[in-house]
Amino acid sequence: MHIVLDDSAMAAAGRGNVLASRLIHRAHAQAGWYLYAPACALVEADRARPGTAEHLAALPGITVLELDLPAALAVAGQDTWAAAHVQYAAQPTLDRPDGAIIATTAPGRWIGEPVRVLDLTP
């Protein structure tokens, strides 16, 4: 299971969202569960809730995705860097042929986008 946290899910995890905490625990404790934090979304989450970036980056079950050249080119064509980097990270790759699911507490943001969403709203 491959899951990408958007900035709303990251900020929610920092505020103690139970569903986000369960995802983090599962990614750390259970084989086959992968949790990703795109760098651009991590920045936005930290702006919304200072300290979030350091906290999430220190967790062993979360992989921070850097803004490499292909991601930068995808981000350049969008309105917000955070959402663009999350959507780019959720796309299918050789390692993730089915892509990844976006975990969010703002599911309305993803309406009309070609992504699968996991609503973490309690």
Side-chain angles (χ1 to χ4, degrees):
M1 179 70 61
H2 296 273
I3 300 173
V4 178
L5 297 170
D6 77 357
D7 55 306
S8 72
M10 292 181 205
R15 289 190 300 273
N17 179 293
V18 174
L19 298 174
S21 295
R22 286 181 187 164
L23 279 179
I24 292 167
H25 174 73
R26 186 162 283 180
H28 174 66
Q30 191 168 344
W33 280 75
Y34 304 95
L35 202 54
Y36 305 98
C40 292
L42 197 57
V43 168
E44 286 304 312
D46 201 70
R47 287 179 179 167
R49 188 174 190 286
T52 299
E54 280 185 61
H55 175 71
L56 289 177
L59 296 173
I62 296 179
T63 301
V64 176
L65 300 176
E66 297 179 2
L67 186 64
D68 59 7
L69 180 58
L73 295 174
V75 165
Q78 300 292 327
D79 291 335
T80 67
W81 286 33
H85 199 186
V86 168
Q87 186 170 345
Y88 173 80
Q91 298 307 307
T93 65
L94 293 176
D95 295 338
R96 299 184 306 271
D98 294 328
I101 299 167
I102 296 174
T104 183
T105 60
R109 168 191 298 175
W110 300 105
I111 292 174
E113 298 295 337
V115 295
R116 296 176 291 159
V117 173
L118 175 61
D119 186 355
L120 299 182
T121 306

